[in-house]
Amino acid sequence: MTIGTDTDAALNSASGYRLRLVFDAGPTMPMWRPLLRKLRQSLAQSGHFQSVTVSVLMADGTVRGREGAGDRLVTLVLSDCSGPQWYPGPAGERWYGTLGAWARVRPVAVVQPLPERMWQRTALPVMPGLIHAPAATAANSELSFTAYDNAPDMGVNCPGFRRVR
């Protein structure tokens, strides 16, 4: 997925924003805990956010941790999108309901630690395309998305980012 934005402008305009890093604690995620620590540390030290907090996405689809409120919150979800909360069922309904509610009012993205070639094996639908944001910190509901293969719009967009070494 390509995101069209000027990184420096986006980061400068994000000052004063808080970051909520949500870690998926499902059964497939323990190996990614060191990445969570590095990501949290890097984002906290970057100076681009007032604060960086960590919440935990449980396998039953609930989120543990302080709920961020206000309009100056950015959410990143670190997940391989392979746990039970990503699939149909009560846990999935709870989680997708929460994810959708966040995406309607704030910027939300999934940080996918798996290599891109494995994404099609996960539960999160992936569609390559171009996202345009009217502002650097626009809520996902304000994003426009054009699929590279002209596939139909599937609702509220949630960008996914691959891990960069």
Side-chain angles (χ1 to χ4, degrees):
M1 181 171 306
T2 305
I3 298 186
T5 184
D6 177 337
T7 305
D8 291 333
L11 292 174
N12 289 336
S13 67
S15 61
Y17 277 76
R18 295 171 291 114
L19 178 69
R20 183 179 195 193
L21 185 57
V22 179
F23 180 71
D24 176 352
T28 59
M29 289 296 294
M31 68 183 292
W32 299 113
R33 284 196 178 278
L35 176 60
L36 170 67
R37 285 190 290 277
K38 282 177 146 179
L39 188 58
R40 183 189 181 287
Q41 181 181 17
S42 295
L43 291 166
Q45 290 176 349
S46 73
H48 298 300
F49 298 99
Q50 269 183 349
S51 63
V52 176
T53 58
V54 175
S55 297
V56 179
L57 165 62
M58 306 304 291
D60 66 359
T62 59
V63 177
R64 300 240 169 99
R66 195 175 60 134
E67 174 64 36
D71 61 347
R72 299 185 70 77
L73 182 65
V74 175
T75 301
L76 291 178
V77 179
L78 175 59
S79 178
D80 63 7
C81 307
S82 298
Q85 67 277 33
W86 291 97
Y87 288 92
E93 288 174 23
R94 247 187 318 277
W95 170 233
Y96 279 109
T98 299
L99 188 62
W102 290 344
R104 283 188 283 283
V105 297
R106 68 178 68 123
V108 179
V110 174
V111 178
Q112 172 57 270
L114 294 174
E116 195 169 344
R117 68 180 169 12
M118 296 178 73
W119 290 4
Q120 293 301 323
R121 297 180 189 158
T122 70
L124 186 64
V126 177
M127 184 177 302
L130 181 66
I131 288 182
H132 173 74
T137 54
N140 292 42
S141 58
E142 298 174 37
L143 303 176
S144 63
F145 177 78
T146 305
Y148 290 145
D149 62 3
N150 293 320
D153 189 354
M154 297 179 65
V156 176
N157 298 304
C158 187
F161 299 99
R162 64 186 165 95
R163 189 182 102 174
V164 179
R165 291 174 204 192

